[in-house]
Amino acid sequence: VVVEDQPDVSAVLSAYNQQGDPTLYEEYYSGLKHFIECSLDCHRAELSQLFYPLFVHMYLELVYNQHESEAKSFFERFHGDQECYYQDDLRVLSSLTKKEHMKGNETMLDFRTSKFVLRISRDSYQLLKRHLQEKQNNQIWNIVQEHLYIDIFDGMPRSKQQIDAMVGSLAGEAKREANKAKVFFGLLKEPEFDVPLDDEDEEGENEEGKPKKKKPKKDSVGSKSKKQDPNAPPQNRIPLPELKDSDKLDKVMNMKEAARRVRLGPECLPSICFYTFLNAYQGLTAVDITDDSSMIVGGFADSTVRVWSVTPKKLRSVKTAADLSLIDKESDDVLERIMDEKTASELKILYGHSGPVYGTSFSPDRNYLLSCSEDGTVRLWSLQTFTCLVGYKGHNYPVWDTQFSPYGYYFVSGGHDRVARLWATDHYQPLRIFAGHLADVTCTRFHPNSNYIATGSADRTVRLWDVLNGNCVRIFTGHKGPIHSLAFSPNGRFLATGATDGRVLLWDIGHGLMVGELKGHTDTVYALRFSRDGEILASGSMDNTVRLWDAVKAFEDLETDDFTTATGHINLPENSQDLLLGTYMTKSTPVVHLHFTRRNLLLAAGAYSSQ
């Protein structure tokens, strides 16, 4: 796939050279509108998709050719007919009233260069074509051919409800071809360990979140008892870091915790522990919690990053080099001795960014912390010394989100420059650049097998990228506002997305289809997280609630036969109310982060807002 460079602005706009009589534009448009509104019900819903892209292109054409008064009257007469979810775009459009305005407007340029995709059945398309050719309505037919991509399918036309579920993004729907590539959504095989059974004598230590530095008795890393998941990528498809001894110990701890995990379900909902940031006058803009739930980090609008310990164990730095040289390296508790007790505190503040911090992410081994900021950089901090190790510069504009790979070493960032970048901690330049979104990349997430990255954008689409070659392998449309949260199910098969439209959409990654819509939130969904075994999906929103949904029921007996995949006729059951297991209000705290502990306790976080 060749990614075309941004074409020269003047070349792009010159496609708008005058062909029709400006005074007739309203007539052309109302003629088509009349035709569509009088067509049979089965075609009307499909053909109505033309209204918006034609409206925009005809308006831009008038503006470009400096027919300002005609453009104004065209806009005023027809903008009220457009679907409500295009309101924000129309607001941008209404401010473009002169040819000069178009030159600097990236959104419009994108609208111009990327063809708007409509998915229409063959019958509806033939009807439209016949109408436009009989009417000799070349102006509209030219726009259809020049600026729209009509993805024609054979079969029944789709209903209004089916279309509404899928449309709403800046560039229309995704072409069906875009979601055909094979995706290895299975999980990689976990190395095997024998968990030591001497729990009793370790109880005291376990509370601290660190086991005694004892090696497990037998370390059978290579044993191949688990079968390879047929949908998993080859183990070596992308190079992943080797497990260190400390990682193995952590895995053992994790397994012990998992043995005590609560099985969640409709009858057994998780307890929720809410961390409220009080008096956060610095403006809380990002939160993350370590996998073992021992530390929590906040990114703030005053450009600081603050790390707290959530356990009784305080945060300590490593001693200075001079003091370290005095330590006996062979002693059993060397890892304890290198820590400087004098530095112990519950909170560490990290200074370095020069703008609000919009994203934070702990590394899986808890040695590092990433933060990304309005200042265009991503910083890597050491949690041993609480100092900044590297500043990664690549985005020239604000960076909205960053996240470590579940295996560490790699991380992803996304920003205002409309691209996501894949980095490795030891390279100062990105390894991959994922380009294709038409507006800011607002959130980024790694797939649990680390071979794919999902990005959500202000262009109202979600894309899935292949880390190996940088290709875009899925485009999901259906949200009506910028996307602010993403979560993969633990089995790697599904993706949940949340946006400013308050809806949570569920996607089947293998088939590239929307399989559910959870309605209930009344404001932006900022946080999504599946429980450890994937039985429950938790969503947190600006509407000050945490909601729990029955994920098992949402994904069971999906109709993913070939017909659905081929035509995109999705039938979403209106069952949000059956799937909603609980709604929990905070007093006045928008929910910005959710995290399930290894035992399935749900942790939530946000800053109290006094208005």
Side-chain angles (χ1 to χ4, degrees):
V1 176
V2 184
V3 177
E4 294 175 3
D5 285 330
Q6 271 290 353
D8 180 20
V9 182
S10 54
V12 169
L13 295 176
S14 65
Y16 276 154
N17 280 338
Q18 187 53 35
Q19 289 162 330
D21 176 349
T23 52
L24 294 178
Y25 272 48
E26 292 191 28
E27 210 172 293
Y28 292 149
Y29 190 85
S30 53
L32 180 71
K33 192 177 148 194
H34 178 74
F35 162 71
I36 291 177
E37 285 172 354
C38 297
S39 60
L40 291 173
D41 289 4
C42 62
H43 301 299
R44 188 186 317 141
E46 288 202 320
L47 293 176
S48 301
Q49 298 178 76
L50 283 159
F51 286 149
Y52 174 70
L54 281 177
F55 171 80
V56 177
H57 282 298
M58 290 173 84
Y59 175 74
L60 290 178
E61 210 157 274
L62 287 170
V63 171
Y64 181 76
N65 292 304
Q66 298 175 330
H67 302 296
E68 288 166 22
S69 57
E70 286 91 342
K72 192 169 186 304
S73 108
F74 181 80
F75 189 89
E76 281 172 2
R77 181 164 166 197
F78 298 116
H79 79 96
D81 302 343
Q82 310 303 326
E83 296 282 1
C84 55
Y85 36 80
Y86 292 123
Q87 289 309 314
D88 292 346
D89 298 358
L90 292 175
R91 205 166 300 129
V92 172
L93 202 58
S94 63
S95 63
L96 295 174
T97 51
K98 290 189 161 39
K99 185 174 177 175
E100 301 74 72
H101 298 171
M102 290 172 68
K103 294 259 165 75
N105 191 311
E106 289 164 351
T107 316
M108 280 306 113
L109 265 183
D110 276 331
F111 195 90
R112 285 280 312 99
T113 49
S114 58
K115 292 194 163 191
F116 193 94
V117 180
L118 308 161
R119 205 178 286 172
I120 293 182
S121 66
R122 192 169 299 282
D123 298 349
S124 303
Y125 178 69
Q126 295 298 4
L127 196 68
L128 172 75
K129 191 170 168 181
R130 236 187 352 263
H131 167 75
L132 291 177
Q133 287 172 345
E134 277 166 16
K135 276 268 188 284
Q136 303 284 297
N137 197 333
N138 295 339
Q139 202 53 35
I140 287 191
W141 187 238
N142 288 340
I143 292 183
V144 169
Q145 294 191 298
E146 178 89 27
H147 301 301
L148 310 189
Y149 177 97
I150 298 192
D151 190 6
I152 302 171
F153 62 86
D154 291 305
M156 288 278 296
R158 292 186 297 170
S159 67
K160 173 97 178 98
Q161 180 196 353
Q162 287 174 323
I163 293 169
D164 275 349
M166 300 295 290
V167 295
S169 92
L170 256 181
E173 285 186 68
K175 302 177 188 175
R176 281 166 305 157
E177 283 310 304
N179 291 330
K180 288 278 197 289
K182 180 167 174 50
V183 171
F184 298 104
F185 54 81
L187 304 183
L188 295 175
K189 234 171 61 33
E190 284 288 328
E192 297 250 318
F193 299 99
D194 288 355
V195 181
L197 292 171
D198 48 355
D199 264 341
E200 295 70 41
D201 56 338
E202 284 197 17
E203 274 301 47
E205 306 285 323
N206 269 354
E207 298 310 303
E208 304 286 71
K210 289 273 194 298
K212 274 203 187 119
K213 293 289 177 249
K214 235 188 229 164
K215 274 284 149 46
K217 305 220 173 61
K218 288 210 301 294
D219 210 359
S220 54
V221 181
S223 71
K224 288 262 192 293
S225 68
K226 275 197 191 145
K227 282 217 275 295
Q228 181 78 28
D229 182 334
N231 294 306
Q235 221 43 31
N236 55 359
R237 186 169 182 266
I238 57 168
L240 293 170
E242 292 283 299
L243 281 183
K244 303 190 293 292
D245 285 350
S246 56
D247 297 332
K248 292 177 185 171
L249 272 169
D250 194 53
K251 283 231 183 298
V252 170
M253 280 298 303
N254 197 347
M255 287 173 180
K256 287 185 176 177
E257 291 281 284
R260 304 179 183 161
R261 183 178 298 163
V262 182
R263 282 303 303 236
L264 300 178
E267 304 307 313
C268 175
L269 296 178
S271 304
I272 306 179
C273 166
F274 203 104
Y275 289 95
T276 306
F277 290 74
L278 290 171
N279 310 328
Y281 302 120
Q282 307 82 5
L284 178 72
T285 40
V287 176
D288 193 32
I289 297 175
T290 53
D291 185 68
D292 70 346
S293 315
S294 60
M295 289 183 277
I296 186 169
V297 60
F300 292 87
D302 68 353
S303 72
T304 58
V305 175
R306 294 159 192 254
V307 185
W308 283 268
S309 166
V310 206
T311 62
K313 205 179 173 102
K314 293 215 164 46
L315 303 173
R316 299 171 302 175
S317 307
V318 173
K319 291 178 177 167
T320 60
D323 293 346
L324 288 175
S325 59
L326 308 174
I327 292 175
D328 169 17
K329 312 271 185 299
E330 299 307 309
S331 68
D332 287 347
D333 58 349
V334 64
L335 289 173
E336 195 45 45
R337 291 189 186 189
I338 59 174
M339 301 317 267
D340 187 351
E341 270 309 318
K342 293 197 287 292
T343 62
S345 65
E346 273 177 12
L347 161 69
K348 299 280 185 200
I349 304 185
L350 308 175
Y351 297 102
H353 281 297
S354 58
V357 177
Y358 292 121
T360 50
S361 177
F362 283 108
S363 66
D365 62 7
R366 299 185 295 287
N367 287 330
Y368 303 105
L369 169 66
L370 284 170
S371 61
C372 64
S373 157
E374 188 266 343
D375 63 19
T377 65
V378 180
R379 284 178 180 264
L380 181 72
W381 308 84
S382 161
L383 296 177
Q384 303 294 333
T385 56
F386 295 97
T387 54
C388 181
L389 303 175
V390 200
Y392 300 94
K393 299 179 175 65
H395 294 274
N396 294 327
Y397 296 96
V399 186
W400 300 126
D401 198 11
T402 184
Q403 196 211 10
F404 257 114
S405 150
Y407 293 90
Y409 184 61
Y410 299 110
F411 63 95
V412 60
S413 63
H416 174 64
D417 54 12
R418 303 184 281 177
V419 297
R421 289 174 163 80
L422 174 78
W423 310 76
T425 47
D426 57 1
H427 288 252
Y428 66 92
Q429 283 179 316
L431 308 180
R432 294 281 180 277
I433 293 182
F434 305 113
H437 279 298
L438 304 184
D440 300 41
V441 175
T442 42
C443 49
T444 52
R445 275 291 163 276
F446 268 92
H447 186 279
N449 68 25
S450 200
N451 278 249
Y452 298 94
I453 285 168
T455 54
S457 160
D459 67 11
R460 311 189 282 279
T461 66
V462 174
R463 286 172 180 252
L464 190 69
W465 308 86
D466 189 336
V467 165
L468 182 66
N469 49 30
N471 292 344
C472 175
V473 289
R474 291 285 180 272
I475 303 177
F476 294 139
T477 63
H479 276 297
K480 313 294 184 253
I483 284 120
H484 279 288
S485 50
L486 301 166
F488 283 99
S489 62
N491 63 12
R493 292 182 51 190
F494 302 106
L495 174 66
T497 59
T500 56
D501 57 10
R503 294 151 75 230
V504 174
L505 298 181
L506 307 173
W507 310 89
D508 176 325
I509 296 168
H511 292 91
L513 284 181
M514 185 193 302
V515 291
E517 171 181 29
L518 306 176
K519 293 181 186 158
H521 284 295
T522 53
D523 206 335
T524 305
V525 179
Y526 269 132
L528 284 170
R529 197 52 83 92
F530 282 93
S531 61
R532 292 284 173 146
D533 301 318
E535 312 92 336
I536 293 222
L537 172 63
S539 58
S541 160
M542 277 290 281
D543 65 10
N544 303 345
T545 63
V546 173
R547 289 173 192 257
L548 300 178
W549 310 88
D550 185 340
V552 176
K553 198 163 159 192
F555 293 129
E556 73 189 359
D557 43 80
L558 293 172
E559 291 179 50
T560 42
D561 52 21
D562 298 337
F563 171 71
T564 331
T565 335
T567 57
H569 279 58
I570 49 161
N571 291 308
L572 294 183
E574 282 285 329
N575 60 349
S576 297
Q577 287 320 303
D578 311 343
L579 298 175
L580 182 62
L581 301 175
T583 301
Y584 305 89
M585 299 282 299
T586 61
K587 199 171 180 180
S588 180
T589 304
V591 186
V592 297
H593 188 76
L594 293 168
H595 173 83
F596 278 94
T597 68
R598 290 171 174 179
R599 297 190 190 183
N600 267 338
L601 167 69
L602 177 56
L603 308 181
Y608 177 77
S609 66
S610 48
Q611 63 271 26

